[in-house]
Amino acid sequence: MPQSEQFTKSVDSVDAVVSRMRALAAALPERDGIAVFNRVYLTVTEEVDRHIDAGRFAGPRAAITLDVRFAERYLAAVDAVMNERRPPACWRPLFQFRRHPGVRPLQFALAGINAHIGHDLALAVVDACRTLDCEPADLEDEFDRVGDLLVSLEERIREDLMPGPDLLQIADPLTHLLGAWSLERARDATWSAARALWALRRLPDLAEDFTERLDAAVGFAGRMLLTPLPD
């Protein structure tokens, strides 16, 4: 099967999401920026799957729906790139800089998290609400638990991908750059954006404008995170 066709299948379960991500990991060079983020996201998704199987979500159907709707956004962006279509603005910096030698793996990972949390998650909450016929408030526990898993993994991601101990110096450009971005702040902003989009669902023109501006703003932040740095 041609590479452009490997990632165009829809997903309807967490297992299917994991399978798609593993196929993507096998197809891309390890240093590719998409591959770097994909490994991070695969780790998170496998952890969510374990929590669902262990009964740690009060509403497993809601957790599965949110997780799948969330992943679909990322996989659709990858599909667009593989098939030479234009992805959402939030993903463009990562896809454009994915092979840049001056961008560090940690930058790729956090730029992907920025795009996926800052833009995709808000839209996924709305998608899940429509699928489940519920309000965002009904998904808040699942949203918070997934967010907590991401926050718990962020420190490990930073430790694993930091190039060396010199980056503990506050004057180091990478330390300075990445210190300006916070997953917790991004998650809080995303919940507010999801609630706003839900409130605007009967005003499609306003909802579209809000979504486009959110997409552009998150893409701008991603471009800053991917600033090439000297060795």
Side-chain angles (χ1 to χ4, degrees):
M1 181 183 297
Q3 188 182 67
S4 62
E5 297 177 7
Q6 288 186 47
F7 310 109
T8 57
K9 298 177 182 177
S10 62
V11 291
D12 56 8
S13 68
V14 179
D15 287 343
V17 169
V18 169
S19 178
R20 287 280 306 278
M21 290 182 189
R22 286 175 178 166
L24 186 58
L28 293 173
E30 183 178 353
R31 183 62 176 76
D32 187 295
I34 299 175
V36 173
F37 169 71
N38 190 76
R39 288 194 295 273
V40 171
Y41 193 19
L42 177 58
T43 299
V44 172
T45 304
E46 290 172 335
E47 187 72 12
V48 170
D49 197 22
R50 284 191 289 270
H51 279 233
I52 291 171
D53 290 344
R56 296 180 185 175
F57 284 94
R61 179 169 178 253
I64 291 168
T65 301
L66 179 59
D67 193 59
V68 172
R69 297 287 87 81
F70 186 30
E72 282 177 336
R73 295 274 171 180
Y74 159 64
L75 294 172
V78 174
D79 289 347
V81 172
M82 297 298 181
N83 291 284
E84 299 182 348
R85 299 192 307 270
R86 191 171 175 82
C90 63
W91 285 106
R92 285 174 212 156
L94 177 60
F95 295 155
Q96 289 168 354
F97 283 78
R98 56 190 278 203
R99 298 185 181 94
H100 196 295
V103 178
R104 313 282 176 79
L106 180 56
Q107 291 175 268
F108 289 135
L110 293 186
I113 293 172
N114 169 70
H116 204 35
I117 297 293
H119 173 266
D120 293 355
L121 184 53
L123 274 62
V125 169
V126 174
D127 293 341
C129 286
R130 288 178 172 145
T131 299
L132 297 168
D133 192 21
C134 69
E135 299 284 325
D138 298 320
L139 297 178
E140 190 167 7
D141 287 346
E142 287 73 24
F143 179 95
D144 286 342
R145 184 169 288 277
V146 170
D148 289 343
L149 288 173
L150 285 164
V151 170
S152 69
L153 287 169
E154 186 191 17
E155 183 176 350
R156 191 173 81 196
I157 290 165
R158 289 177 183 261
E159 290 175 354
D160 288 348
L161 295 179
M162 274 289 191
D166 290 345
L167 294 184
L168 296 176
Q169 300 298 321
I170 194 168
D172 182 87
L174 182 57
T175 302
H176 179 77
L177 179 67
L178 300 181
W181 187 84
S182 162
L183 177 55
E184 290 195 47
R185 289 198 300 270
R187 186 180 67 167
D188 290 344
T190 292
W191 182 246
S192 296
R195 293 177 61 206
L197 281 169
W198 185 250
L200 292 171
R201 67 192 183 280
R202 294 187 180 89
L203 300 169
D205 289 345
L206 286 177
E208 182 178 3
D209 184 62
F210 183 94
T211 301
E212 288 178 357
R213 291 176 184 273
L214 177 66
D215 191 19
V218 173
F220 179 77
R223 175 62 184 83
M224 296 301 101
L225 286 169
L226 292 169
T227 299
L229 299 172
D231 292 334

